[in-house]
Amino acid sequence: MLANLSIQNYALIDDVNVSFANGFTTITGETGAGKSILLGGLSLVLGKRADLSSLKNEEQKCVIEAEFDISNYDLQSFFEENDLDYEKVTILRREILPSGKSRAFVNDSPVTLDILKSLGDQLIDVHSQHQTMRLTENDFQMKVVDALANNAQNISHYSEELSKLKRASKELRELEDFQSNADKEHEYNSFLLKELEEAKLKEGMQEELESEYEQLSNVEQIMEQLAAGYQLLNDEQMGITGRLADLKRAIQQLAEFGDGFKSLNERIQSVLIETDDIASEIEQMKDTVEANPERLEVVNGRLQQLYDLQKKHHTDSVTELIAIREDLAQKVDAVANIEAKIAAKKAEVAEITKTVDQWANTIHQARKSVIPQLKEMLQQNLSELGMPSATFKIEVTPSNTFKTSGKDDLIFLFSANKGSSYGELKKVASGGELSRIMLTIKSILAQYEHLPTMMFDEIDTGVSGEISTKMGDIMQQMSKTMQVFSITHLPQVASKGKYQYKVYKEEGEQGTSTHIRQLGNEERVRELAEMLGGKNLSESALAHARELLQ
């Protein structure tokens, strides 16, 4: 419910602050008084784009605030999703700066214009001539049918399953595309994989082979150096081992003369033991090292195989070759199993399609069942609004295409006069007829949906007399379950409001400005009388005005 509207420095408005209550409120005023300006300001705080021409004083900012009581709206999830503080009394604010920049706030938290508009759409439905044209759109017409059919839950299930179907179908297309491309590469990938598998790759093998190759390639030099080393250690006359033994014997005799000699003796003993070990190891190596041209050829071949593979795959390590081998193995395996995967995905798509079809049929049957009721309600209400011969041809027919809310095509045709052919609303209905049809549809929707605050902007244009009275009755009836505003120029409609506000202009030293105020009972009488007979009030006009209010 719109509880308060504050507008500063907008168009002809200096500063307006007005509070509203629940029920039916009418807004009146002379042509050019600024009713459209008031609506324009409200539209800005609901997310409409603005420009500098909106500012009355271009050196000051424009600020518009709308306070809504949202305690009866289920909007907590919207506030959570958009990281906003939920308040039962929520304030939407829009600021337009002299620089041309615009800022939007919800409960003092900055928001984007899209978020402001999305929230505003759920709080108030501003009905204008532009929105009347929505009546001619197929989506809006289907929404009306679905409201009567109580299809919201069915469409929710359908949408959920349709999303699953779209995901599964996309995955199937990707598998089929993969198969189409993979078939061309499969043979080559299999060849590359076989090469890498035959190489029997393992971590560290390249370093081991290169070390072995160096030894086998230099076996004669190794044997010569080992023999020379052994000779240096074990020569009978000058061998290092023998000379160390002599040194040990000489120092050993001094060990008893003090700790220093004893420690020296122990160190010589350690060196002698280590030298003996080295001599034994060199002797063992010397006896085991031998030329092996066959093994050298094998090692050389294995290394060359590794080098060729690394060059082919643009790598410089066995680790990278192993990674390439694993990747190729996955690709080859994927192609080998692709047929089974495609078959399984096709079965999944078929199963989901069946479920989506079932929900689409449930939606169709619900729609089909309420068509007679919708036609009767529309035709009966329009008859009371001065269109006794208005008839509709409404049909829902299943198609072969899954759409956002089912598979149905909707035929929504209209004939205003007896004997006239049926045609699309936008082609055969006048502006006044469209307004009456829209009001009728909104009143029907109000019985089946929890609608936000409704604001009708001169929906009664083109009608008068008893028909305007009936339109006022419809809006009054709607206001029993929701807040309804009507900007009107008809006294028959204005009198139906529980509250009435007047928009007017005043001229002062600073120029012309627009104002709005609530009218008391006697003020309403005078306002209605002026709407009936003009500025020169007659007793008959005043009497008629009082009669309308009663």
Side-chain angles (χ1 to χ4, degrees):
M1 182 190 87
L2 177 61
N4 188 270
L5 179 64
S6 170
I7 303 175
Q8 297 175 17
N9 194 37
Y10 174 73
L12 292 178
I13 297 175
D14 288 314
D15 190 353
V16 160
N17 191 300
V18 58
S19 296
F20 301 106
N22 211 345
F24 185 27
T25 296
T26 57
I27 299 174
T28 59
E30 296 179 3
T31 300
K35 297 189 294 294
S36 60
I37 294 174
L38 190 72
L39 191 59
L42 179 61
S43 297
L44 284 178
V45 83
L46 295 175
K48 181 183 175 183
R49 299 201 173 274
D51 55 49
L52 278 176
S53 63
S54 304
L55 276 62
K56 188 173 192 293
N57 184 339
E58 293 184 358
E59 296 180 357
Q60 299 177 6
K61 69 178 178 179
C62 164
V63 180
I64 304 172
E65 282 191 354
E67 182 181 300
F68 289 89
D69 181 348
I70 63 171
S71 55
N72 293 327
Y73 295 88
D74 187 18
L75 290 174
Q76 287 89 339
S77 59
F78 178 90
F79 280 75
E80 290 173 6
E81 289 167 8
N82 293 285
D83 196 25
L84 296 172
D85 294 330
Y86 175 80
E87 301 287 349
K88 290 183 178 181
V89 176
T90 283
I91 298 176
L92 278 59
R93 186 168 85 253
R94 186 81 181 276
E95 297 180 357
I96 303 163
L97 306 179
S99 63
K101 291 184 179 180
S102 168
R103 299 187 298 185
F105 302 85
V106 173
N107 293 332
D108 288 327
S109 295
V111 295
T112 64
L113 209 55
D114 286 340
I115 291 177
L116 186 71
K117 185 177 185 306
S118 179
L119 178 58
D121 287 344
Q122 298 178 73
L123 298 178
I124 187 165
D125 182 356
V126 179
H127 175 88
S128 60
Q129 187 65 33
H130 171 72
Q131 201 206 37
T132 298
M133 293 310 297
R134 284 195 62 211
L135 179 59
T136 67
E137 298 171 2
N138 200 260
D139 287 346
F140 181 81
Q141 295 165 357
M142 191 70 86
K143 178 184 176 183
V144 177
V145 175
D146 284 326
L148 267 70
N150 195 25
N151 256 337
Q153 198 68 27
N154 294 331
I155 292 174
S156 176
H157 289 304
Y158 168 86
S159 298
E160 185 179 339
E161 294 300 323
L162 183 62
S163 296
K164 292 180 185 176
L165 178 60
K166 288 178 179 178
R167 284 195 300 271
S169 298
K170 181 175 180 287
E171 290 166 359
L172 176 58
R173 287 194 301 273
E174 289 173 349
L175 285 172
E176 290 174 337
D177 290 343
F178 176 80
Q179 183 187 38
S180 176
N181 295 325
D183 283 344
K184 303 170 188 175
E185 302 176 5
H186 180 60
E187 186 176 344
Y188 182 57
N189 285 341
S190 297
F191 169 74
L192 293 177
L193 178 61
K194 184 179 179 183
E195 273 188 334
L196 291 171
E197 287 179 336
E198 288 176 348
K200 297 185 177 9
L201 302 171
K202 63 179 182 179
E203 294 286 352
M205 66 179 296
Q206 183 172 341
E207 291 77 8
E208 293 176 6
L209 287 170
E210 287 175 340
S211 176
E212 186 177 359
Y213 177 79
E214 287 299 318
Q215 291 183 32
L216 290 170
S217 298
N218 298 281
V219 66
E220 292 181 0
Q221 181 182 353
I222 291 171
M223 292 173 66
E224 288 176 5
Q225 296 304 321
L226 287 174
Y230 186 76
Q231 180 66 27
L232 285 170
L233 287 168
N234 290 290
D235 182 73
E236 290 184 6
Q237 299 297 324
M238 297 295 293
I240 294 173
T241 304
R243 303 298 289 169
L244 280 172
D246 292 341
L247 177 61
K248 178 182 179 300
R249 283 191 292 272
I251 299 303
Q252 189 175 17
Q253 295 176 15
L254 302 175
E256 60 185 24
F257 296 141
D259 291 340
F261 294 115
K262 183 179 179 181
S263 173
L264 182 61
N265 181 57
E266 290 172 353
R267 288 169 62 194
I268 293 172
Q269 177 66 21
S270 297
V271 172
L272 180 58
I273 293 172
E274 181 66 18
T275 303
D276 280 338
D277 286 342
I278 292 172
S280 298
E281 192 169 338
I282 289 176
E283 183 177 24
Q284 184 179 359
M285 286 183 175
K286 182 171 68 68
D287 292 340
T288 55
V289 172
E290 59 180 357
N292 190 341
E294 292 81 9
R295 177 60 185 168
L296 177 61
E297 185 176 353
V298 170
V299 171
N300 184 50
R302 293 282 283 130
L303 280 173
Q304 193 58 50
Q305 181 185 33
L306 287 180
Y307 297 150
D308 289 344
L309 288 172
Q310 289 171 3
K311 182 178 179 181
K312 187 172 193 173
H313 293 282
H314 306 290
T315 66
D316 55 11
S317 72
V318 172
T319 299
E320 291 175 285
L321 286 177
I322 291 172
I324 293 170
R325 181 190 67 192
E326 298 304 320
D327 183 56
L328 286 169
Q330 290 180 5
K331 289 181 178 178
V332 171
D333 181 63
V335 174
N337 298 322
I338 195 68
E339 291 291 348
K341 290 180 180 179
I342 288 175
K345 188 58 68 175
K346 282 183 176 178
E348 181 184 348
V349 168
E351 187 64 27
I352 299 174
T353 301
K354 183 179 177 182
T355 303
V356 177
D357 248 331
Q358 290 171 345
W359 281 113
N361 185 58
T362 300
I363 293 168
H364 170 76
Q365 294 301 328
R367 287 169 173 167
K368 188 176 178 181
S369 68
V370 300
I371 295 298
Q373 177 189 358
L374 175 59
K375 288 170 61 177
E376 182 181 351
M377 293 172 76
L378 285 171
Q379 290 165 186
Q380 180 181 341
N381 287 352
L382 287 175
S383 177
E384 296 175 1
L385 291 176
M387 299 171 65
S389 299
T391 55
F392 290 85
K393 182 180 181 182
I394 306 173
E395 296 177 2
V396 284
T397 56
S399 70
N400 295 320
T401 305
F402 290 124
K403 303 177 183 180
T404 55
S405 60
K407 291 178 68 175
D408 292 331
D409 288 325
L410 177 66
I411 298 172
F412 200 103
L413 303 178
F414 172 70
S415 172
N417 304 300
K418 188 176 293 185
S420 298
S421 357
Y422 286 98
E424 296 179 20
L425 281 171
K426 61 184 176 183
K427 294 181 179 179
V428 300
S430 67
E433 288 169 342
L434 283 175
S435 292
R436 280 177 273 181
I437 295 170
M438 178 59 95
L439 178 60
T440 296
I441 284 178
K442 291 288 188 182
S443 68
I444 293 172
L445 284 174
Q447 300 174 42
Y448 293 90
E449 285 189 339
H450 183 62
L451 297 178
T453 291
M454 191 72 62
M455 180 167 285
F456 293 104
D457 180 20
E458 298 191 353
I459 195 171
D460 46 26
T461 300
V463 300
S464 59
E466 188 60 32
I467 297 173
S468 60
T469 299
K470 183 58 182 175
M471 292 183 80
D473 288 338
I474 291 175
M475 287 184 272
Q476 190 180 58
Q477 183 65 30
M478 291 173 65
S479 72
K480 291 181 178 179
T481 57
M482 60 189 295
Q483 187 185 37
V484 178
F485 290 88
S486 177
I487 298 175
T488 181
H489 62 280
L490 295 179
Q492 293 89 342
V493 174
S495 65
K496 299 290 181 180
K498 185 176 181 181
Y499 313 98
Q500 183 174 345
Y501 289 77
K502 181 176 181 177
V503 178
Y504 59 98
K505 287 194 297 188
E506 286 185 345
E507 293 183 359
E509 293 182 1
Q510 302 300 320
T512 303
S513 59
T514 291
H515 304 270
I516 182 173
R517 62 186 176 87
Q518 185 177 355
L519 300 179
N521 287 336
E522 282 305 311
E523 289 176 313
R524 290 190 71 179
V525 170
R526 294 183 63 82
E527 176 71 7
L528 292 174
E530 285 187 14
M531 295 172 74
L532 286 164
K535 290 289 186 181
N536 296 321
L537 299 179
S538 65
E539 284 302 321
S540 61
L542 290 168
H544 191 184
R546 289 191 179 91
E547 184 181 347
L548 286 175
L549 282 175
Q550 291 171 1

